[in-house]
Structure formats: structure tokens, C-alpha cells
Amino acid sequence: MERLIGTISRGVRCPIIRQGDDIVAIVADSVIAASKEHNIEFGTKDVVAVTESVVARSQGNYATTANISKDIAAKFPEGEVGVVFPIMSRNRFAMCLKGIAGGVKKVYLMLSYPSDEVGNHLITLDQVDEAGLNPYTDVLTEARYRELFGENKHQFTGVDYVAYYKELVQNAGAECEIILANDVRAILNYTPYVLCADIHSRARSKRLLKAAGAKTVYGLDDIMTASIDGSGYNENYGLLGSNKATEESVKLFPRDCQPIVDGIQKRIFDATGKKVEVMVYGDGAFKDPVGKIWELADPVVSPAYTAGLEGQPNELKLKYLADNDYASLSGDALKEAIKESIKTKDSNLVGNMASQGTTPRHLPDLIGSLCDLTSGSGDKGTPVIWIQGYFDNYTNA
């Protein structure tokens, strides 16, 4: 009988993971236990993925706002800093900002508008148009922003981020001056000492600032790259990918993840004889059409994955074949013709019209997005995702 089910993505429940727990054993054993409990057989090229959050928790990869303040004070001894292009997030940036402010006397906080890098809006594009502003060139002070737009609360969180961030800085003991601009070099009219808080555009921001004469340029990826007073750290991403843990600490992006995914793969193979692919995943890479938020606030979707997940899909578009190459066929003849095309397809379909619209993105980004949507970020309690059939196609029985 022909198999009628394709890709399946399952959330797997695990014990609550604490610092020092053996994450390799917990993940592998939880999936193996789930397979026995629900009578599901492992298949070759199944994917087992674990969220970065529990990996970092098992590593104890945390830093306090005091740790951050100490690192900032060392890197900005002048006592002032221009923080440019932060995202507007209580979870992702608020505690980082609190730590930054604790290390200096004054913060010049430059926000992009109408939205931040990942799509959180301060105001709408329509409001910008109605105000007659050119967002590429016009720089707004806080007073001018309030004069034009008044109070604006985030659509989902109900937070006025201009007021919220200013209060955070002031409560940490620093002065705060807020500017709104979209040219990173505008900060140099206020201070030559700059911390780039953007995520995916940070390399360009640093390059432009250095070329424009900034005296000091760091990014969030340069803060907490080494342990401060015994804290956690991330040598590659610093504060990027961190999340609020408590009112005085953040959980950093996990480090040294390759041995973890390789270890999970080996443990499952030793127990089942099946070689699964394994990855650590964070945010998915997709955009919400209503709130306009691009979900990817982590520096990468996956900090580590096994070798079989390298590359991108190489797929034919079935509807293209049906509407073009085999427009005269139907029924079993059409099915068999399409199956033959799949079996004999080129190993690289880039540029082939029959592959158009097949989303040739990096596999860990695609699979990580599926994992993030499956696990959610709330109380589902499934930090491990088990995917089957992802690499199947129409020919697989």
C-alpha cells in the first residue's frame, strides 16, 4: 500500500533541565523512550533537534547585569556610549541595556524607525509618511518624536519602548538621551564611542562607523566573550542570542554545541542502529504577516548541526511539471512521469525552471523554523523535536 503521510514533526517532552545535567543523555534517551512509548520506529535521516535554551541552561551559561556592566566599563572607560539599533524587546534586550547602563555615566540610545531590525514597530510607515519625514536622512530627538507621534505602544506587548528603555537606563544610574535615526553614522554627532546592538546588520554598522571616524566601536557580539568573575560567556556571539533569565541576569547563547549534536547522534545510533541527524536550534527564520515581526533575533538559527544537514534542498516543483512538461497526462501516467523526473533529476537544480519556488535555503534554517513552530516558546514542555520524512519525496513508498 502506498504511504500517504509525508513529513511529521513531533514535540518530545523531557525532564526539566538544570545546570550540570547531561544534555546528550537526556535528549537521546527522551527520544528513544518516546519511540518505545508510542511504538514509533526510527528511520535513517530522521532529525532530532534540541532548543538552544535548554542546552545553555545545562551549561550554566548565564551572566548577570553586573558582569555586563564590568565588561562595558572596561571597553568604554570614557564613561559614555552610543548604543545603536537595539531591538525592542523586554526578553531580548532589556537586561542587556540595564547592564550596559550600569557600566557608564551616559547612554545615547539611537533607535531605528519606524521599526527595529526584526520588525517591532515604534510607529507605522503611514505615520512617517503623514509627518513628511524621510526616514533615510531625518534624525529625531525624543522631544521631536513625541511632538510628531505622541505615545506609541507596541501592538502585541503594550509597551512604550522609548519610555521603557529610558527608564531602564536612568534606574541603572546613567543619563539617557534618545535619538531616532536610520543612518548609523548619525550617532557620531553625539559620541564617538559606539556599541552596535543590531544583530544581522552589525558588520556593516561597524564598518561604516569605523570609516566615519568613530574612536571606539564594539558590537553586542564583543561583550561577554570571556568569563567575567566566573560568569558564562560566548566567545563567538557575546550577548547576541541572549534571553532574560531574571531581573538581574541573562541566559547566553550556548557554546561548544558541536560535541553535543555529535554525541546525541552517536548515542541514538548505538541504541537503535539508525543514523539520525541532530541540530541545536533557536529562533526560526520567518516573518509574521500581521505584526510584521521577523522572528530571528538569534545571531543564527542553528549554532551546530551534524554533517548530513549541510546544504540546501534540491527539489522539483510538482505543479510546474504537471502544468508544463506533462500537461497532456493525467492519473497514473502523470504520477509515473513525475516520479521518473524526480528519480532522474540533476544533482544541482539551480537555474532550472522546474525548481522555481522551491525555497532553496540552508537546510538548518528551514528545519530550525519547523522546530521553532513545533516547540513554541511557552509551556508546551517539548524542547526536543523529532522530525521524520523531511528528506522524503514523492517517490518514497
Side-chain angles (χ1 to χ4, degrees), residues 158-189:
V159 175
D160 180 332
Y161 277 96
V162 172
Y164 174 58
Y165 277 177
K166 184 174 185 178
E167 184 178 359
L168 265 179
V169 172
Q170 292 173 334
N171 287 345
E175 294 181 59
C176 184
E177 185 170 344
I178 292 180
I179 310 110
L180 288 85
N182 292 308
D183 184 336
V184 70
R185 293 164 293 194
I187 194 65
L188 299 180
N189 293 320

Side-chain angles (χ1 to χ4, degrees), residues 82-83 85-86 107-113 122 138-142 145 162 176-182 186-187 189-191:
V83 179
F85 299 160
V107 174
Y108 296 93
L109 186 62
M110 194 171 87
L111 306 175
S112 56
Y113 74 95
L122 283 173
D138 291 342
V139 178
L140 306 179
T141 62
E142 181 186 359
Y145 166 76
V162 172
C176 184
E177 185 170 344
I178 292 180
I179 310 110
L180 288 85
N182 292 308
I187 194 65
N189 293 320
Y190 299 85
T191 179

Side-chain angles (χ1 to χ4, degrees), residues 259-272:
I260 293 172
V261 297
D262 291 339
I264 294 170
Q265 183 183 60
K266 182 179 185 303
R267 191 176 179 97
I268 292 176
F269 180 82
D270 289 346
T272 69

Side-chain angles (χ1 to χ4, degrees), residues 332-347:
D332 288 342
L334 175 60
K335 180 187 293 187
E336 292 307 313
I338 287 178
K339 284 185 175 181
E340 186 61 26
S341 290
I342 294 171
K343 290 176 182 177
T344 59
K345 66 185 176 183
D346 293 338
S347 60

Side-chain angles (χ1 to χ4, degrees), residues 27-47:
V27 172
D29 294 352
S30 294
V31 179
I32 292 168
S35 74
K36 295 176 180 177
E37 173 76 17
H38 297 280
N39 196 28
I40 304 168
E41 292 185 5
F42 282 91
T44 300
K45 293 292 282 189
D46 284 3
V47 179

Side-chain angles (χ1 to χ4, degrees), residues 292-372:
K292 308 295 188 273
I293 298 172
W294 183 34
E295 179 69 12
L296 187 54
D298 286 327
V300 291
V301 173
S302 175
Y305 47 88
T306 50
L309 295 180
E310 188 54 69
Q312 62 187 38
N314 189 58
E315 300 174 341
L316 293 170
K317 195 77 167 180
L318 297 194
K319 67 180 182 181
Y320 180 91
L321 294 176
D323 291 344
N324 291 272
D325 296 34
Y326 307 121
S328 63
L329 302 179
S330 61
D332 288 342
L334 175 60
K335 180 187 293 187
E336 292 307 313
I338 287 178
K339 284 185 175 181
E340 186 61 26
S341 290
I342 294 171
K343 290 176 182 177
T344 59
K345 66 185 176 183
D346 293 338
S347 60
N348 186 347
L349 293 169
V350 174
N352 188 318
M353 286 297 289
S355 70
Q356 62 181 328
T358 56
T359 319
R361 292 163 52 197
H362 195 210
L363 282 168
D365 294 344
L366 290 167
I367 298 171
S369 297
L370 174 59
C371 292
D372 192 25

Side-chain angles (χ1 to χ4, degrees), residues 188-332:
L188 299 180
N189 293 320
Y190 299 85
T191 179
Y193 313 111
V194 188
L195 177 65
C196 297
D198 44 347
I199 305 164
H200 309 293
S201 56
R202 65 188 185 275
R204 179 174 184 266
S205 293
K206 291 178 185 180
R207 173 174 58 79
L208 290 175
L209 287 165
K210 291 174 182 177
K215 292 183 179 178
T216 302
V217 179
Y218 288 105
L220 288 182
D221 55 331
D222 300 309
I223 309 301
M224 299 306 303
T225 56
S227 180
I228 303 290
D229 298 331
S231 73
Y233 63 95
N234 191 299
E235 66 273 30
N236 295 317
Y237 300 116
L239 283 175
L240 290 180
S242 63
N243 290 268
K244 178 179 179 179
T246 70
E247 294 299 327
E248 300 294 337
S249 65
V250 295
K251 177 195 62 60
L252 300 171
F253 212 49
R255 60 181 189 269
D256 302 326
C257 292
Q258 195 61 47
I260 293 172
V261 297
D262 291 339
I264 294 170
Q265 183 183 60
K266 182 179 185 303
R267 191 176 179 97
I268 292 176
F269 180 82
D270 289 346
T272 69
K274 296 292 185 179
K275 184 179 180 181
V276 304
E277 302 299 337
V278 183
M279 64 184 289
V280 175
Y281 71 95
D283 281 342
F286 45 83
K287 186 172 183 177
D288 176 67
V290 177
K292 308 295 188 273
I293 298 172
W294 183 34
E295 179 69 12
L296 187 54
D298 286 327
V300 291
V301 173
S302 175
Y305 47 88
T306 50
L309 295 180
E310 188 54 69
Q312 62 187 38
N314 189 58
E315 300 174 341
L316 293 170
K317 195 77 167 180
L318 297 194
K319 67 180 182 181
Y320 180 91
L321 294 176
D323 291 344
N324 291 272
D325 296 34
Y326 307 121
S328 63
L329 302 179
S330 61
D332 288 342

Side-chain angles (χ1 to χ4, degrees), residues 1 17 153 350 376:
M1 182 175 178
I17 294 170
K153 293 185 177 180
V350 174

